[in-house]
Amino acid sequence: MDTVTARGEQVRLELDDIQSGALHERPSPYVGTYLLLRIDDRGAGRELVRRLQHIVDNGRPSSDPAHDAWITAAFTYHGLKALGVPQSSLDSFAPEFRQGMAARAALLGDVGDSSPEHWEKPLGTSDVHVALAALSPDRERLQAVVEKARRAHAELAGVEVIWRQDCYQLESGRTSFGFKDGIGQPAVEGSGRPASNPKERPLKAGEIILGYRDETGELPPMPVPEVLGRNGTYVVFRKLHTRVAAYRQYLRAKSASREEEALLGAKMVGRWQSGAPLALSPDDDDPALGGDPQRNNAFLYGDDPRGLKCPLGAHARRANPRDALDGDGAVDVRLHRMIRRGTSYGPMLPEGTLEDDGVDRGIVFVFAGAHLKRQFEFVKTQWLNDGIFIGAPLETDPLVGPNDGSGSFTVPQRPIRRRLQDLPPFVVTRGGEYCFAPGLRAMRWLAELES
Amino acid sequence: MTTAATGASRPGVSVGPTSEFSLFFRVKPGQGGALRAALHDLQDTPGYRPGDYGMAVGTIHEARFVLFDDDTRLAFVTSFDGPWDAYMEDFFTSGPTLALFDVIFRHAEGYDGLPDLPALKAFIGGAQQTAAAYARNYPGTVKEIRKSQRVNTAFQQVLDHSDAAEALQHPALKPLLDEAAD
């Protein structure tokens, strides 16, 4: 069903041409596989794209996230180059995409342990050409779609799988830090998916999909030729290692009781572990609220300008300040929204364990949007890594910010605010890349390139 | 994390969290007088009236419009918290600033009026010049300065209380007592 906007105009998304990965709700539970491929032979690469075009998912995203498994295909700048996309076309992509994530590392705060020289190979190198993501409600259906993908590339000499990452939702249904995630996705006009926050209008389609008007009233900058850009979306993936033991040790050291640990954890995230937002349940966790999709995202921050319920620097409030900055006159929050598709990898650190077991665990963060710079990079650099916008330039996101052991986090409370000191890094970037997920016509165009 | 001082890759120089933002326009021929009148009117709008201290954009420290070269050129000079280029599109879609500036920019060469945002971005980008030198005499964002002022006002109220000297004797209040003598 097409959405009627506030101004009465109708947005008709060409859903049959759009890879629906960006618009699908993540199932819960979920299992997934990410594959990276290198194209050594141009003809084989084009044949791969021709085959992929038949197995990626398109059409109207089901309202039931558990309906099926699906595959999304995306290409890096070097991948498009390997396929023989003309230079004039390559030059028309967003500059950040052309540079690639590793070249943006210093700006993104990927320094120290997170810097590209420490990234998992081949992440951040020009070998990464094609990214495939398969997500499924269960292993059986995942294997079926991964097998389709395998058949698409396996017998092609000149196409190599160079990296694989399996993901699955932990039994707890939560992230490695212990929090329910995947809440708070923006609704997109024309996608047919209802908004999870009744207080927020659906985003203009052009904020997520190229070829449609965005929140500025303009068409997002789109690569040429039009057949290549239209109905595509930029995709960011980042493998983020979570230092769960360090996180638990920190909370334990700063708390006198388990209740206080839970409260401090909630203050850092902006939600309780159940997903219940501090804005609606500031004093105690409320699992019924956290588990209720009708209510767990239905809130604003306007009644809490000082952050007494949810700190201004809490992760979720930084990532989406909602109405908190409306009085600044300098920020249009709707220009900085995005589709997020985080999935967990690695086993849970056993409950109660405070010592690091040396096992790699964390999140594969996935972004989908039409604007790498003013969506992903803006949120990462201005809101998560910086504190200028909340009047605390020396503070960064307490959970995912590039803390170096000297940072602080302010928890407003009466009678006296609390200030947590000496925050270590809890998240380390293992690598990632900027990609472009083209529409189906664009994939055909790529497959039929001649040179 | 603050933006690096004198950040190399960004337009505009920054000191701590604050960056300078300077625009230079050519006034359309014969419109110097009309522009001067428009700026006179601007001075009468909320936020620009002397003593208002509340411009629509809450993250700029100050703003000035300067007509020069016999009213044939216009400069707009301000200091902004954060890297201003990251916020360029926000300026154009949020707040009343755009309508306020429309009546001024319409007298500048190259301005095509609202709502053509790409043209507007090009117009602003083409007018921006990065400072050759920039310094600040205090650190801190507008939000921090305002907080500091609120705290000092409260502190002065405490000092005006007849029991203030006694109350400030507590060891925990030593840093405040050190500031209480003048």
Side-chain angles (χ1 to χ4, degrees):
Chain A
M1 185 170 72
D2 293 319
T3 309
V4 178
T5 73
R7 279 184 293 175
E9 83 189 83
Q10 222 174 27
V11 178
R12 200 173 291 278
L13 286 181
E14 295 175 324
L15 292 170
D16 287 341
D17 193 48
I18 297 170
Q19 291 197 60
S20 42
L23 302 173
H24 263 303
E25 189 79 7
R26 189 190 71 190
S28 181
Y30 60 81
V31 287
T33 295
Y34 299 91
L35 297 171
L36 297 178
L37 294 83
R38 187 185 64 226
I39 299 168
D40 295 322
D41 176 82
R42 185 162 285 175
R46 290 173 181 171
E47 175 60 19
L48 172 73
V49 179
R50 192 187 65 76
R51 296 179 184 185
L52 287 175
Q53 177 228 322
H54 294 291
I55 61 171
V56 297
D57 206 50
N58 67 323
R60 185 167 303 287
S62 169
S63 57
D64 173 15
H67 84 292
D68 209 350
W70 69 89
I71 282 187
T72 305
F75 302 85
T76 66
Y77 176 82
H78 289 288
L80 295 177
K81 207 170 174 172
L83 288 168
V85 171
Q87 192 62 41
S88 59
S89 176
L90 291 170
D91 291 345
S92 66
F93 279 85
E96 303 77 29
F97 171 79
R98 286 170 5 228
Q99 289 178 34
M101 187 183 288
R104 311 286 291 173
L107 174 116
L108 294 172
D110 288 332
V111 295
D113 288 346
S114 291
S115 69
E117 74 218 56
H118 301 303
W119 285 4
E120 222 175 273
K121 295 291 169 241
L123 301 177
T125 72
S126 57
D127 280 352
V128 178
H129 293 167
V130 185
L132 299 181
L135 260 185
S136 166
D138 54 50
R139 287 187 189 283
E140 196 177 13
R141 278 179 280 185
L142 179 69
Q143 273 163 10
V145 290
V146 168
E147 173 57 21
K148 276 195 214 173
R150 196 195 61 79
R151 281 203 301 268
H153 66 71
E155 73 248 31
L156 288 174
V159 174
E160 293 289 332
V161 175
I162 54 173
W163 187 78
R164 175 181 177 134
Q165 180 66 58
D166 292 323
C167 290
Y168 58 96
Q169 191 169 43
L170 298 173
E171 268 181 51
S172 60
R174 298 175 178 181
T175 66
S176 54
F177 287 131
F179 289 81
K180 180 179 168 68
D181 69 340
I183 311 171
Q185 302 289 351
V188 180
E189 277 187 14
S191 72
R193 280 196 38 235
S196 62
N197 183 358
K199 300 173 192 297
E200 181 185 77
R201 277 183 294 118
L203 285 181
K204 295 283 183 209
E207 288 297 312
I208 307 300
I209 308 291
L210 299 183
Y212 305 88
R213 293 202 180 280
D214 65 22
E215 288 288 331
T216 70
E218 305 290 331
L219 294 172
M222 198 165 80
V224 293
E226 189 185 352
V227 64
L228 176 60
R230 187 171 176 79
N231 292 325
T233 188
Y234 287 105
V235 173
V236 175
F237 79 88
R238 285 164 73 73
K239 182 177 177 182
L240 304 171
H241 167 69
T242 51
R243 300 179 63 229
V244 179
Y247 168 78
R248 289 181 186 170
Q249 285 170 24
Y250 185 83
L251 288 185
R252 179 65 53 90
K254 303 293 179 187
S255 307
S257 66
R258 292 300 166 89
E259 291 71 27
E260 196 182 348
E261 275 181 49
L263 178 65
L264 277 186
K267 292 287 188 184
M268 287 165 72
V269 170
R271 292 180 181 273
W272 297 91
Q273 290 199 339
S274 74
L278 286 175
L280 296 179
S281 184
D283 300 319
D284 299 289
D285 197 354
D286 180 348
L289 170 63
D292 182 351
Q294 302 294 320
R295 294 190 293 143
N296 65 17
N297 194 39
F299 65 91
L300 296 172
Y301 295 116
D303 65 338
D304 187 27
R306 297 177 73 178
L308 291 164
K309 291 195 284 183
C310 178
L312 276 60
H315 172 66
R317 186 166 174 162
R318 284 173 172 269
N320 178 16
R322 302 178 188 234
D323 61 337
L325 305 174
D326 287 1
D328 283 7
V331 186
D332 181 350
V333 172
R334 298 174 63 79
L335 300 185
H336 311 293
R337 304 286 280 120
M338 63 183 73
I339 299 288
R340 284 174 295 122
R341 288 281 176 269
T343 52
S344 293
Y345 72 89
M348 190 165 120
L349 184 66
E351 193 78 43
T353 302
L354 290 179
E355 294 307 314
D356 186 18
D357 59 1
V359 175
D360 191 15
R361 59 174 59 82
I363 288 170
V364 174
F365 167 90
V366 174
F367 153 102
H371 301 272
L372 285 173
K373 186 177 180 197
R374 78 159 158 82
Q375 293 173 326
F376 170 71
E377 289 196 346
F378 179 96
V379 171
K380 178 72 177 128
T381 61
Q382 302 307 307
W383 287 350
L384 298 180
N385 291 359
D386 208 312
I388 293 174
F389 78 112
I390 52 170
L394 298 178
E395 293 193 359
T396 103
D397 189 298
L399 198 65
V400 307
N403 284 299
D404 61 1
S406 66
S408 62
F409 170 58
T410 304
V411 182
Q413 61 182 20
R414 295 189 198 281
I416 291 172
R417 62 99 178 103
R418 180 162 186 192
R419 186 159 284 165
L420 297 176
Q421 304 285 4
D422 305 325
L423 274 162
F426 296 125
V427 172
V428 178
T429 307
R430 291 273 197 245
E433 194 48 277
Y434 290 162
C435 306
F436 179 71
L440 272 71
R441 278 197 301 270
M443 289 178 76
R444 271 198 295 280
W445 181 86
L446 287 168
E448 290 164 7
L449 278 170
E450 289 170 11
S451 65
Chain B
M1 298 279 153
T2 53
T3 309
T6 65
S9 64
R10 289 195 179 281
V13 183
S14 58
V15 172
T18 307
S19 54
E20 57 86 21
F21 183 45
S22 311
L23 303 176
F24 298 89
F25 305 98
R26 296 186 187 282
V27 180
K28 285 175 182 165
Q31 297 198 12
L35 176 52
R36 197 167 272 280
L39 291 170
H40 186 79
D41 291 345
L42 175 70
Q43 193 77 75
D44 261 342
T45 60
Y48 282 83
R49 294 179 302 227
D52 270 9
Y53 303 118
M55 286 178 280
V57 176
T59 49
I60 58 177
H61 289 249
E62 84 295 310
R64 79 193 62 186
F65 288 91
V66 184
L67 276 163
F68 61 106
D69 283 355
D70 295 328
D71 291 2
T72 62
R73 307 286 313 275
L74 170 71
F76 172 72
V77 180
T78 187
S79 291
F80 176 76
D81 289 332
W84 60 262
D85 60 319
Y87 286 89
M88 197 42 56
E89 273 152 319
D90 296 67
F91 290 138
F92 299 143
T93 61
S94 63
T97 304
L98 206 52
L100 208 59
F101 283 13
D102 180 55
V103 296
I104 294 163
F105 290 154
R106 67 177 54 170
H107 300 295
E109 284 182 0
Y111 184 65
D112 293 333
L114 303 175
D116 186 344
L117 295 183
L120 194 55
K121 272 175 78 174
F123 168 73
I124 298 292
Q128 188 267 339
Q129 296 288 341
T130 296
Y134 179 57
R136 301 190 59 73
N137 229 350
Y138 54 84
T141 62
V142 174
K143 285 183 183 185
E144 289 172 287
I145 301 299
R146 286 180 170 163
K147 168 82 175 175
S148 299
Q149 289 183 333
R150 287 198 305 274
V151 171
N152 186 44
T153 299
F155 182 54
Q156 296 303 322
Q157 284 173 2
V158 169
L159 295 186
D160 286 339
H161 194 281
S162 55
D163 296 334
E166 187 190 345
L168 287 173
Q169 293 305 315
H170 193 282
L173 300 182
K174 174 85 169 41
L176 288 178
L177 188 62
D178 291 345
E179 292 288 347
D182 57 357

